[in-house]
Amino acid sequence: MPRAASAGLLAAFLLPGAAAWGEELRSPINGKTLELGPAPSTYSFLLIGHPYGDHNRSVFPAASLLANVERINDMGLSFVVLLGDLVRNVREPEIKALRESFSDRIAVPVFNAIGNHDAGGRELYRERFGKDGYFSFRLGSELFVFLDSEENDGRLRGPQLAFALGEIERARAAPELRNLFIFSHRLLWAIGHPPLRRILPFVNGPDLHKADNDVFFKELLPKLKGLVNKQVFLAAGDIGAAWSLPLFYEKDPHAPIHYLATGLGDTEKDAVIR
């Protein structure tokens, strides 16, 4: 699995609301903990999208992922972020295979931004991986926001929209925060957004990115572009299938906003982002 990109920054996860400074954040995926609060000046994490890989594969995650477990553990990471679709179907055999072959073997906390396949079995997902949904936490000079792109079929509204706007305001009001990361499974930031919307026919689930689900572009992006002295990283994971693309990156030419997507599909082009 090639290292496809190097952001030189970080990421992680919490449950709805925000974690208190100095708390320990426990991964519901593998039980490892992350201490929140002041962080080293340099730390890293791994972004992995669509970890179950090939749609026709067995209950196990992508072979490219399993073949690189030792390499991942040797990277000196602080944590690993999965961008949705842990398993193809939320069933006990697939959850067991995921844990025994991958997540329990990873030496650092593993966190997930829920995807459409995960949301297909929300009740069992909650039982095995804790509460799902949107959440945020702060580590060092970074704020991390996870959106539930499967709630309301990708339409950000109500409490979740208020939460997202509130987190952007939280970043704006804290001059010591340098980087804002927003994670989702679907490429919400590309819907209705020229020219980024041109990639949507080539993602794993084009039908999941409906043209009228453009709240991110209309409501959140203007707020993000108004942030001063901060870098914004928007990352999604609904790519990587054999008919899709394995990696995407675009820098906004007019604002310090970076658009990223990454996903596995059991192809020779499989990649992750460090």
Side-chain angles (χ1 to χ4, degrees), residues 54-226:
D54 186 355
H55 285 68
N56 298 312
R57 190 169 168 74
S58 69
V59 297
F60 288 93
S64 56
L65 185 61
L66 301 185
N68 282 278
V69 169
E70 290 186 9
R71 184 178 178 185
I72 291 172
N73 284 334
D74 289 340
M75 285 181 174
L77 304 170
S78 294
F79 42 84
V80 171
V81 171
L82 306 178
L83 293 167
D85 289 355
L86 292 180
V87 292
R88 183 176 183 183
N89 300 290
V90 183
R91 301 180 304 188
E92 293 291 1
E94 293 180 50
I95 293 172
K96 184 174 185 288
L98 170 75
R99 283 178 161 157
E100 292 182 353
S101 66
F102 174 67
S103 62
D104 287 355
R105 297 173 60 200
I106 298 299
V108 296
V110 177
F111 304 103
N112 182 47
I114 191 168
N116 58 295
H117 284 265
D118 309 321
R122 275 192 190 264
E123 184 174 348
L124 184 56
Y125 183 94
R126 291 188 185 108
E127 289 178 10
R128 296 295 177 264
F129 300 120
K131 190 173 176 60
D132 58 332
Y134 48 90
F135 53 86
S136 71
F137 74 92
R138 177 180 167 182
L139 179 63
S141 58
E142 285 69 49
L143 176 62
F144 304 96
V145 178
F146 281 59
L147 298 179
D148 183 346
S149 64
E150 310 315 306
E151 184 179 80
N152 297 319
D153 194 25
R155 292 171 171 82
L156 297 178
R157 62 190 183 195
Q160 183 170 197
L161 178 58
F163 164 80
L165 291 170
E167 293 301 294
I168 296 173
E169 173 59 23
R170 178 185 177 194
R172 186 202 64 76
E176 71 278 10
L177 286 173
R178 299 197 306 265
N179 302 293
L180 170 61
F181 292 85
I182 299 180
F183 300 103
S184 61
H185 179 63
R186 303 188 195 193
L187 286 69
L188 298 177
W189 36 264
I191 303 173
H193 186 177
L196 295 181
R197 62 188 178 193
R198 289 184 292 183
I199 70 173
L200 294 178
F202 307 101
V203 303
N204 289 357
D207 292 343
L208 299 178
H209 297 77
K210 298 178 177 63
D212 62 345
N213 290 9
D214 57 356
V215 176
F216 196 105
F217 175 68
K218 290 182 176 179
E219 300 286 341
L220 300 188
L221 200 58
K223 300 291 186 181
L224 292 171
K225 289 185 175 182

Side-chain angles (χ1 to χ4, degrees), residues 29-67:
I29 308 298
N30 68 353
K32 307 293 195 306
T33 57
L34 177 67
E35 185 175 343
L36 303 179
S41 59
T42 299
Y43 62 103
S44 62
F45 74 101
L46 212 58
L47 278 180
I48 303 172
H50 201 252
Y52 83 75
D54 186 355
H55 285 68
N56 298 312
R57 190 169 168 74
S58 69
V59 297
F60 288 93
S64 56
L65 185 61
L66 301 185

